[in-house]
Amino acid sequence: MFETLETHMCFGGSLKICRHPSAATGTGMRFSVFTPAGPGPFPVLTFLSGLTCTEENFTVKAGAYKKAAELGLMIVAPDTSPRGDGVANDAAYDLGQGAGFYVDATEAPWAPHFNMYSYITRDLQDILFAQFPGDRKRQGISGHSMGGHGALTLALRNPDLYRSVSAFAPIVSPSTVPWGEKALAAYLGPDQSRWRAHDACCLLADGVGRGAFDDILIDQGSADNFLEPQLQPHLFTQAAAEAGQKVTLRLQEGYDHSYYFISTFMDDHLEFHAQRL
């Protein structure tokens, strides 16, 4: 049953916190949605958050809604994983609840619930356009860190669904960095050939989504503690150059991995998407 848990007036529009049952995860899932003033239908931007986050992090910290209201953008921020009693978890912050990695798990104990790829591309789509005045044909996707990985991989695999894509400090090559190696092995098993469908660099190398986007915008802070061990955006620009995909990578001097960084450049990303939607 779809539930509206909170409603707030925001920059002339409406911000709602919602919960609904998901067939993909077998759990209730939460998301926030900002709808600007007017009847719609509105272009829709989905923002995928990073490790340890819920739908609340972007909603409270990103500072996106004033510009979204000006641009007439609807913004959706889902949770990062299934949660609840009976849902597998891990003591570490980078696996389990809060760390869904936007894949469909095939391995125990994760497979029954950790199907975030299907949740974002199917279940969230269904409830969103049944309940809100969004335009299904004008959608973009963005995200941060683990969510940036999700945005890139979901967009490349679903260019019929998303017309624009951007990311903040994304994990671009999870097959080759500690965060991704741990998560993909746990969720998908040890056969690394199965990881390629969830690795943005591998997708480009395999020709998936090639030429689907006129540009991909990535912002990365130069003072990000995770830049070298986990993120390595140069790997994506190299893969994109070889695939003929334009990427605008902006290295922002002195910025870290936090929402202070995200909120600083959020308006640029919203304008980027609005121009393409």
Side-chain angles (χ1 to χ4, degrees), residues 25-45:
T25 67
T27 67
M29 294 295 296
R30 290 169 60 111
F31 65 91
S32 72
V33 56
F34 171 77
T35 306
F42 303 104
V44 180
L45 177 64

Side-chain angles (χ1 to χ4, degrees), residues 72-97:
L73 273 177
M74 192 165 124
I75 304 186
V76 183
D79 200 352
T80 57
S81 79
R83 301 177 193 271
D85 295 340
V87 176
N89 202 8
D90 189 90
Y93 75 94
D94 54 357
L95 189 67
Q97 296 186 37

Side-chain angles (χ1 to χ4, degrees), residues 37-218:
F42 303 104
V44 180
L45 177 64
T46 297
F47 190 92
L48 306 181
S49 292
L51 289 167
T52 76
C53 291
T54 70
E55 81 289 340
E56 185 178 33
N57 295 75
F58 174 88
T59 305
V60 173
K61 297 179 179 180
Y65 301 132
K66 182 178 181 180
K67 178 59 72 172
E70 294 172 2
L71 296 171
L73 273 177
M74 192 165 124
I75 304 186
V76 183
D79 200 352
T80 57
S81 79
R83 301 177 193 271
D85 295 340
V87 176
N89 202 8
D90 189 90
Y93 75 94
D94 54 357
L95 189 67
Q97 296 186 37
F101 267 84
Y102 305 101
V103 306
D104 283 353
T106 59
E107 304 299 300
W110 314 105
H113 301 294
F114 280 75
N115 297 299
M116 289 299 292
Y117 177 88
S118 290
Y119 172 69
I120 299 296
T121 59
R122 187 189 71 200
D123 293 4
L124 182 61
Q125 292 281 308
D126 291 343
I127 198 67
L128 186 64
F129 295 106
Q131 297 290 336
F132 298 95
D135 187 342
R136 189 184 286 266
K137 296 181 179 180
R138 292 189 293 160
Q139 294 192 73
I141 190 165
S142 186
H144 171 231
S145 195
M146 177 186 72
H149 141 75
L152 294 173
T153 56
L154 268 62
L156 289 171
R157 291 180 61 181
N158 297 277
D160 55 333
L161 191 60
Y162 302 110
R163 289 170 48 175
S164 59
V165 55
S166 74
F168 295 86
I171 305 170
V172 301
S173 182
S175 297
T176 63
V177 300
W179 275 340
E181 290 172 337
K182 178 179 179 178
L184 297 182
Y187 296 142
L188 303 177
D191 181 357
Q192 295 191 18
S193 67
R194 297 167 60 188
W195 301 4
R196 296 185 69 85
H198 300 283
D199 183 308
C201 290
C202 292
L203 289 171
L204 286 175
D206 293 344
V208 179
R210 185 174 293 176
F213 302 98
D214 69 325
D215 195 6
I216 297 174
L217 175 61
I218 295 177

